[in-house]
Amino acid sequence: MAELSEKDIILKNLIAQRIEELRLKTGLSQSEFAKEHGIDRQILSRWESTKNKRGVTIYTVKKFCNMIGISLTDFFSNSIFDK
């Protein structure tokens, strides 16, 4: 697997931050959110981690969006991605 470029790392981290931000807006902890949506808490933790070298796929972002009832457009239509 090739090393991520600096821009790729920035995008990966922004996506992780956005997932955490949206999960926090649900008012649920990682454990509560994971239980409610039938996923492992460690998976959610990995999605929100900026230390995870792999990041998440677009399929994971779509799955998360489905869980919280938003579109991919809504996910990426945020000032965090304007950088």
Side-chain angles (χ1 to χ4, degrees):
M1 181 176 194
E3 290 286 321
L4 294 177
S5 71
E6 186 175 332
K7 286 183 179 184
D8 291 338
I9 291 169
I10 291 168
L11 178 59
K12 172 190 75 67
N13 290 341
L14 291 174
I15 290 170
Q17 290 170 17
R18 180 72 169 140
I19 290 172
E20 181 179 22
E21 171 191 324
L22 290 168
R23 192 243 330 140
L24 289 171
K25 283 185 177 182
T26 69
L28 301 173
S29 68
Q30 282 186 345
S31 295
E32 294 165 335
F33 186 92
K35 185 176 181 179
E36 184 173 305
H37 295 284
I39 60 171
D40 189 273
R41 187 206 56 82
Q42 291 177 329
I43 290 173
L44 180 58
S45 178
R46 201 172 314 131
W47 293 353
E48 293 181 3
S49 175
T50 57
K51 295 181 182 6
N52 180 4
K53 294 183 190 241
R54 292 175 41 192
V56 297
T57 67
I58 192 67
Y59 304 107
T60 299
V61 175
K62 179 66 175 159
K63 179 178 181 175
F64 177 78
C65 289
N66 289 341
M67 289 177 185
I68 62 170
I70 67 170
S71 68
L72 281 171
T73 301
D74 293 333
F75 183 90
F76 288 105
S77 292
N78 185 277
S79 62
I80 195 172
F81 297 110
D82 291 344
K83 299 176 183 177

